[in-house]
Amino acid sequence: MENLMFVYCSSKIIWTLLVTILGYASSLPVRDDSICTAEELAKYSIIFTGKWSQTAFPKQYPLYRPPAQWSSMLGVTHSSDYSMWKKNEYASNGVRDFAEKGEAWVLMKEIEEAGEKIQSVHGIFSAPAISSGTGQTSTELEVRSRHPLVSFVVRIVPSPDWFVGIDSLNLCEGDHWMEEVSVDLFPYDAGTDSGFTFSSPNFATIPQDTVTEITCSSPSHPANSFYYPKLKILPPIAQVTMVKLKKNQLGLPIPHLNQPAKSNEILDTISETPLDCEVSQWSSWGLCRGPCRKPGTKIRTRFVLLHPANNGTPCPNLDEETGCEPDNCV
């Protein structure tokens, strides 16, 4: 009888352990790169195109000190065990430094540590900065079947902590690598600085917020440089294209020629964002002027806060006159 009880108890313990293990396994995240059966190695040309023009984004467009431009690109190819940044999650110290100041040292250190600890990173890539809001920069990257994901960040300059980028784009489709992929890019707020405008002074967000996408209506504040309440969505501020490099008979990659840099005129015809005139509140009425015992006049004024652009609503009258009875006759 005692032997039967021992067997029963042992079986119950084993069954409990099995249920616990299976439950834990079912709760693990599914690896995005676990089903990649493509050839071991693939190389891509990555081309970043800035579309930050004054026509597409006329509000507070930075013209000097410094003018609109893009930082260098910093990216990584990796497995699903690593994440450079994610929407609605907190930015790392490295991403904070890069988004706020364009400093890459801490972010590079974070990438290297992730690669050493869990072998989740295959390679780091970078591309030169662009000295204007429109233009192109490019480089090459290498992915493997165990590391088919691509992530990168490019800082919007000037800005408090705004950037564009891609989070974990999978270039592997089952048993083959994608030949070409293009993605429109929109601005993100790293959640570490509370500035509303491109030229806002440094004002740390305490406590730190999560990474959020900036839209034409969020943050919902007229001071926001991307606030265009009449638009449904913002036009893309940039675009990235990745093209798989082919191999010649010697097994060497064939260089992919960069797309010709697009002039401002070409980019400006893509999207014209109308910007309505914005004016201040009326001032107080001035003194009533005129001769004694006769009707006089008084004036109030207002001034332009934001000049219209791209066929936006023009400015209304900036002064207004009305009749009055003079208090001090002359």
Side-chain angles (χ1 to χ4, degrees):
M1 186 66 178
E2 291 179 358
N3 290 337
L4 287 176
M5 287 297 295
F6 174 77
V7 171
Y8 171 76
C9 292
S10 300
S11 300
K12 188 174 182 180
I13 292 171
I14 293 171
W15 175 252
T16 302
L17 286 173
L18 283 173
V19 169
T20 303
I21 292 170
L22 289 173
Y24 170 74
S26 65
S27 67
L28 292 174
V30 177
R31 291 171 57 92
D32 294 335
D33 51 345
S34 60
I35 58 173
C36 181
T37 58
E39 59 181 331
E40 173 64 16
L41 175 68
K43 292 187 177 181
Y44 284 82
S45 172
I46 178 168
I47 304 133
F48 176 89
T49 303
K51 295 187 175 184
W52 186 18
S53 69
Q54 190 172 8
T55 300
F57 300 92
K59 186 174 183 180
Q60 303 167 1
Y61 188 80
L63 295 173
Y64 55 90
R65 292 188 296 183
Q69 57 191 277
W70 299 96
S71 77
S72 58
M73 172 192 290
L74 181 59
V76 61
T77 56
H78 58 96
S79 69
S80 59
D81 295 319
Y82 171 79
S83 174
M84 175 181 274
W85 65 275
K86 280 190 178 298
K87 182 179 178 180
N88 298 328
E89 294 188 7
Y90 293 105
S92 67
N93 291 335
V95 171
R96 178 201 62 203
D97 286 356
F98 191 86
E100 288 188 12
K101 298 173 285 188
E103 296 177 357
W105 188 86
V106 176
L107 182 54
M108 291 280 290
K109 193 71 176 175
E110 291 173 354
I111 294 171
E112 290 173 1
E113 288 177 355
E116 291 172 359
K117 289 181 179 178
I118 54 178
Q119 302 295 310
S120 58
V121 172
H122 171 63
I124 300 174
F125 59 90
S126 63
I130 303 175
S131 59
S132 62
T134 59
Q136 288 186 329
T137 186
S138 64
T139 188
E140 293 182 3
L141 59 87
E142 186 178 270
V143 286
R144 292 184 177 274
S145 55
R146 288 184 56 217
H147 303 90
L149 307 181
V150 176
S151 297
F152 71 82
V153 287
V154 180
R155 181 176 181 246
I156 298 173
V157 183
S159 74
D161 61 341
W162 302 341
F163 69 95
V164 297
I166 278 181
D167 166 36
S168 303
L169 175 65
N170 194 343
L171 294 178
C172 182
E173 291 186 318
D175 61 353
H176 67 279
W177 296 102
M178 300 174 69
E179 291 296 325
E180 181 173 344
V181 58
S182 291
V183 180
D184 287 334
L185 303 177
F186 300 89
Y188 280 90
D189 186 323
T192 61
D193 193 291
S194 298
F196 270 124
T197 67
F198 296 119
S199 57
S200 293
N202 185 34
F203 185 66
T205 301
I206 301 174
Q208 180 178 332
D209 203 352
T210 57
V211 175
T212 56
E213 184 176 353
I214 300 172
T215 70
C216 57
S217 57
S218 178
S220 183
H221 194 291
N224 177 20
S225 292
F226 287 110
Y227 186 70
Y228 296 96
K230 288 191 174 182
L231 295 182
K232 291 184 178 179
I233 59 171
L234 285 175
I237 197 171
Q239 184 183 63
V240 66
T241 300
M242 282 168 272
V243 182
K244 185 174 180 290
L245 299 179
K246 301 183 184 301
K247 294 181 180 180
N248 60 20
Q249 293 179 344
L250 297 177
L252 300 175
I254 301 173
H256 176 79
L257 297 177
N258 289 350
Q259 300 173 1
K262 300 177 181 179
S263 67
N264 288 347
E265 289 77 20
I266 294 174
L267 285 172
D268 285 353
T269 60
I270 295 176
S271 176
E272 288 194 0
T273 302
L275 187 65
D276 297 338
C277 178
E278 293 181 11
V279 295
S280 68
Q281 298 292 324
W282 286 110
S283 68
S284 301
W285 286 104
L287 294 175
C288 184
R289 298 186 180 277
C292 292
R293 294 177 297 278
K294 290 186 179 181
T297 59
K298 58 182 179 180
I299 298 174
R300 63 178 181 176
T301 60
R302 56 187 174 184
F303 58 90
V304 176
L305 296 172
L306 190 65
H307 289 278
N310 305 329
N311 297 315
T313 303
C315 293
N317 291 332
L318 299 179
D319 54 68
E320 188 175 68
E321 185 178 292
T322 188
C324 60
E325 293 290 336
D327 294 327
N328 299 317
C329 299
V330 294

